[in-house]
DNA sequence: GTCTATACACGGATAGAC
DNA sequence: GTCTATCCGTGTATAGAC
């Protein structure tokens, strides 16, 4: 892995662990093993490097989700496959957590990949649910867009509960609960 | 409002807007109108002041929730009343957002009030749902604990989606979706 | 109780040598 | 490309005067 790559990966880790405000150039340099000069040679500064890191994390999130959504099985099975992907509940979502970062939200460039991937995710999920309704797998009372938002929110909120409790168990419960509620709409 | 009080309230606002890592003593002093000396006279330092602020925010969250839960109506109505309390979706949850703060999570004192209030909240909600099941208002397939976790998570995650999108609409959708799913279990 | 002065490390970056 | 030197403001306090 070359220096530029190590800088991006180290930044991704640090943004995940400490957020944007909590991540200093010095910490990035220490973790990546790159010097001051190196970092500013490859990137214009902290925001530039963060943009590369955030974009990649958003892309990864999308790819993982699409893999689950595009799998085989019924709609409910594919939604469940996505919600049950392996995740470290205590670490939180590497993308979602950045929505709490004031400096990220204040910078339209940094914010864009986050806005985009969540819009895509809820839209994709809503499409799946609509498909399930059309095929008769899900009943007509289910609102695809609202339900998609609720499911993604339950996932993101599951992280919050897990971190608050210091235990991954609540996360699993939230996912179970969300799927249990969804199951009720299956025919 | 005396100086001590202004310090706590200003800290609550700043923690809400910028988190713990993003909030400096200097910013607190500026917002509260208190001087350096004043702040360190009333509190031992940033963590001490933050503890007072976080505890109060947690308490406020609990009181608002309890008011909704203890209201009149069916269980589903009271849960809906809680989920539909007026909130500024774009600001996020003043307590939940702190779970993303590495320095808060690393300090057991700061973390305790957050852990406590979320444990109480999910427990209280689970109790209500169990009550609804016993009374026959909700069907037996509903798992009270898991459903309670999912509902609280949907709320917390709704904030994440709203901030990502820069719009409160997704928050409302997530809440609607969560209640729509719950409605399905009502007899 | 509040103010000013002082301290020292860190955040975030630029400049220029190699 | 990478390193070292340097810069200035901020973060987080402590000390002592009023």
């Amino acid at each position: 892995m070359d220096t530029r790559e190590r800088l991006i990966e180290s930044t991704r880790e640090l943004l995940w662990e400490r957020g944007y405000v909590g991540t200093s150039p010095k910490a990035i340099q220490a973790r990546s093993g790159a010097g001051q000069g190196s970092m500013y040679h490859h990137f214009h500064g902290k925001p530039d490097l963060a943009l590369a890191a955030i974009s990649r994390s958003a892309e990864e999130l999308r790819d993982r989700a699409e893999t689950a959504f595009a799998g085989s099985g019924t709609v409910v099975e594919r939604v469940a496959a996505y919600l049950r992907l392996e995740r470290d509940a205590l670490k939180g979502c590497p993308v979602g957590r950045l929505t709490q970062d004031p400096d990220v939200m204040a910078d339209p460039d940094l914010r864009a990949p986050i806005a985009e991937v969540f819009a895509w995710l809820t839209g994709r999920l809503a499409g799946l649910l609509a498909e399930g309704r059309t095929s008769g797998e899900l009943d007509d009372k289910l609102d695809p867009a609202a339900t998609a938002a609720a499911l993604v929110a339950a996932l993101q909120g599951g992280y919050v509960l897990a971190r608050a409790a210091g235990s991954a168990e609540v996360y699993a419960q939230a996912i179970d609960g969300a799927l249990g509620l969804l199951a009720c709409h299956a025919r």
Side-chain angles (χ1 to χ4, degrees), chain A residues 74-96:
Chain A
T74 63
V75 163
V76 170
E77 280 166 0
R78 283 180 281 159
V79 170
Y82 168 66
L83 288 176
R84 293 205 191 284
L85 282 175
E86 193 180 345
R87 294 182 183 95
D88 188 338
L90 291 175
K91 288 194 71 177
C93 174
V95 181

Side-chain angles (χ1 to χ4, degrees), chain A residues 10 16 20 30 42 61 86 93 105 108 110 113 128-129 131 154 165 177-178 186:
Chain A
S10 298
W16 197 355
Y20 183 82
H42 290 289
L61 175 59
E86 193 180 345
C93 174
M105 290 297 102
L110 295 182
L128 261 184
L129 294 172
E131 187 191 310

Side-chain angles (χ1 to χ4, degrees), chain A residues 61-72 78 81 85 120 124:
Chain A
L61 175 59
R62 180 194 303 236
D63 289 350
R64 258 170 72 91
E66 181 55 30
T67 298
F69 291 149
S72 62
R78 283 180 281 159
L85 282 175
W120 173 82
R124 181 74 169 89

